[in-house]
């Protein structure tokens, strides 16, 4: 009878278990660090891409709109060159390509960059305009134009050809017989009459000349660009009452390029709105946008940046920030 001297091991010793656990912790720690680093890299790239896309979109949109500031068809000099029949209470708001309002100018607060943003109001004629359908017999006559739902009662319009222009307030819209009272020109038929009676909004019922069928009538509209600050949400660039245009715009500062005494249609210096001497001599703008990432703790430490004449600004957090600048010539004032 043989005796069995061999004893088979049934498990791991405590020392072996401790060694395996230690190795597992080391491997898992390295794996977790790799995963976390990958997640941080993705967050960083995602926020950088969003800043770049939003910044470029905001700059391109502003540049496009500012280039047509003061537009009045083919009238050289744009709205500022048009004769105005508007009362003094509204004339300043519509005859310049830009509207002067002291409340639109704010000093940049480097310790709290999300507050005190400038606002900017742009004025221009819109679209291709409506053609004048018949020659005016008298300067006080209603202007007959082709139907357009953009031309509305109780609004400001500019009539212009390539030589002259007039701003006036539409007091009433009728059909070609002078009957009816319509809200817009399209409702009056294929053509309509724009009345411009003297009153609270028109200082005169007479335009500066007898316009013919080579003239066009454009609705004049102003658009206010500002930075909306909402609790719990990112600051955003908005236009008038249409709401958010693009988010992540922490601050906007605007500088006005004024042509000096040489009158060469080139800006001699750029100043804040409250330092502009003559708005009619403003020929270009410098727009400064400070974009901010939606996520915090993306940078290892507070970043430093320059913005709107302020230098070496320390970020109040660890978000990413990027400055976008553009200079825009007001081409309708340079003709």
């Amino acid at each position: 009878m043989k005796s069995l001297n061999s004893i088979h091991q049934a498990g791991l010793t405590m020392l072996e278990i401790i060694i395996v656990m230690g190795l597992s912790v080391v491997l898992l720690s390295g794996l977790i660090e790799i995963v976390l680093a990958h997640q941080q890299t993705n967050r960083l790239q995602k926020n950088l891409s969003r800043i770049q896309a939003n910044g470029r979109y905001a700059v391109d949109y502003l540049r496009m709109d500012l280039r047509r500031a003061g537009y009045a068809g083919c009238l050289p000099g744009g709205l500022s060159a048009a004769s105005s029949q508007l009362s003094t209470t509204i004339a300043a708001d519509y005859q310049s390509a830009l509207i002067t309002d002291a409340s639109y100018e704010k000093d940049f607060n480097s310790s709290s960059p999300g507050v005190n943003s400038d606002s900017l109001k742009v004025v221009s004629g819109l679209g291709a305009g409506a053609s004048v359908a018949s020659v005016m017999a008298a300067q006080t006559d209603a202007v007959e134009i082709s139907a357009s739902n953009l031309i509305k009662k109780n609004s400001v319009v500019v009539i212009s050809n390539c030589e002259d222009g007039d701003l006036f307030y539409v007091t009433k819209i009728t059909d070609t017989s002078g009957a009816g009272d319509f809200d817009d020109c399209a409702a009056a038929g294929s053509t309509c009459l724009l009345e411009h009676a003297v009153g609270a909004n028109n200082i005169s019922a007479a335009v500066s000349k007898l316009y013919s069928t080579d003239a066009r009538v454009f609705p004049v509209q102003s658009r206010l660009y500002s930075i909306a600050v909402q609790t719990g949400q990112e600051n955003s660039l908005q236009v008038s009452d249409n709401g958010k245009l693009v988010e992540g715009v922490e601050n906007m500062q605007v500088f006005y390029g004024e042509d000096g005494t040489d009158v060469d249609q080139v800006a001699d210096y750029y100043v804040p709105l409250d330092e502009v001497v003559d708005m009619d001599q403003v020929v270009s703008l410098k727009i400064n946008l400070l974009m901010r990432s939606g996520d915090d703790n993306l940078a290892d430490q507070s970043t430093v940046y320059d913005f709107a004449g302020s230098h070496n600004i320390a970020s109040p957090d660890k978000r990413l920030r990027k400055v976008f600048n553009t200079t825009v010539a007001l081409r309708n004032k340079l003709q």
Side-chain angles (χ1 to χ4, degrees):
M1 183 174 176
K2 296 180 179 179
S3 61
L4 300 176
N5 295 323
S6 59
I7 300 176
H8 297 285
Q9 184 172 338
L12 300 175
T13 66
M14 181 62 68
L15 178 60
E16 290 172 326
I17 292 174
I18 292 173
I19 292 173
V20 170
M21 291 179 64
L23 291 173
S24 299
V25 168
V26 171
L27 292 173
L28 284 174
S29 298
L31 181 60
I32 290 172
E33 286 186 11
I34 292 173
V35 171
L36 291 177
H38 180 67
Q39 289 179 338
Q40 182 70 356
T41 300
N42 283 342
R43 289 178 67 233
L44 184 65
Q45 292 177 341
K46 181 179 178 181
N47 280 269
L48 282 173
S49 297
R50 184 179 294 118
I51 287 175
Q52 187 69 22
N54 288 351
R56 290 181 63 180
Y57 179 78
V59 165
D60 289 345
Y61 194 99
L62 286 169
R63 185 188 295 124
M64 176 189 67
D65 199 21
L66 288 173
R67 281 177 176 168
R68 64 177 181 177
Y71 174 69
C74 60
L75 178 65
L79 290 176
S80 60
S83 299
S84 177
Q85 311 314 319
L86 301 174
S87 64
T88 54
T89 56
I90 62 174
D93 279 355
Y94 286 96
Q95 194 153 20
S96 177
L98 307 169
I99 294 180
T100 302
D101 189 324
S103 67
Y104 295 165
E105 174 61 37
K106 303 294 183 182
D107 291 332
F108 176 64
N109 185 340
S110 59
S111 62
S112 184
V115 301
N116 290 354
S117 292
D118 289 346
S119 298
L120 174 66
K121 205 162 191 178
V122 185
V123 187
S124 66
L126 298 181
S131 58
V132 173
S134 63
V135 180
M136 296 178 66
Q139 290 169 262
T140 55
D141 281 355
V143 180
E144 183 181 1
I145 65 169
S146 57
S148 170
N149 59 6
L150 296 178
I151 307 293
K152 299 183 181 298
K153 176 184 175 182
N154 298 327
S155 68
V156 175
V157 299
V158 58
I159 181 172
S160 70
N161 51 29
C162 296
E163 296 178 352
D164 302 286
D166 277 86
L167 277 159
F168 63 84
Y169 191 86
V170 179
T171 55
K172 188 177 182 181
I173 296 178
T174 69
D175 61 23
T176 52
S177 68
D181 187 356
F182 302 96
D183 291 332
D184 63 63
C185 191
S190 58
T191 63
C192 72
L193 295 177
L194 305 180
E195 296 187 6
H196 41 99
V198 65
N201 295 309
N202 288 321
I203 57 174
S204 171
V207 293
S208 64
K209 65 172 292 181
L210 299 177
Y211 286 96
S212 184
T213 53
D214 62 342
R216 303 188 73 83
V217 177
F218 302 84
V220 178
Q221 188 178 77
S222 62
R223 298 164 299 287
L224 177 64
Y225 292 96
S226 60
I227 303 301
V229 180
Q230 297 173 296
T231 304
Q233 299 185 34
E234 288 299 310
N235 288 10
S236 61
L237 176 65
Q238 67 175 16
V239 53
S240 299
D241 298 324
N242 296 331
K244 181 167 61 177
L245 183 64
V246 59
E247 65 178 8
V249 186
E250 188 169 29
N251 199 289
M252 177 174 69
Q253 294 292 313
V254 182
F255 295 97
Y256 296 71
E258 195 167 3
D259 187 7
T261 56
D262 53 2
V263 194
D264 58 357
Q265 297 188 331
V266 176
D268 295 333
Y269 50 84
Y270 287 87
V271 294
L273 177 60
D274 56 1
E275 296 180 21
V276 172
V277 176
D278 185 356
M279 184 59 73
D280 288 337
Q281 297 303 316
V282 172
V283 294
S284 60
L285 296 174
K286 279 187 178 180
I287 309 295
N288 303 276
L289 298 178
L290 178 60
M291 306 299 297
R292 187 184 79 170
S293 65
D295 294 338
D296 200 351
N297 297 314
L298 292 173
D300 294 332
Q301 58 187 2
S302 175
T303 56
V304 177
Y305 61 93
D306 299 337
F307 179 68
S310 299
H311 302 285
N312 298 321
I313 304 168
S315 301
D317 49 42
K318 295 183 180 180
R319 297 175 187 264
L320 301 177
R321 285 174 173 80
K322 183 175 176 62
V323 176
F324 288 79
N325 303 306
T326 186
T327 301
V328 185
L330 306 179
R331 60 186 182 187
N332 290 293
K333 298 183 72 171
L334 300 177
Q335 299 176 8

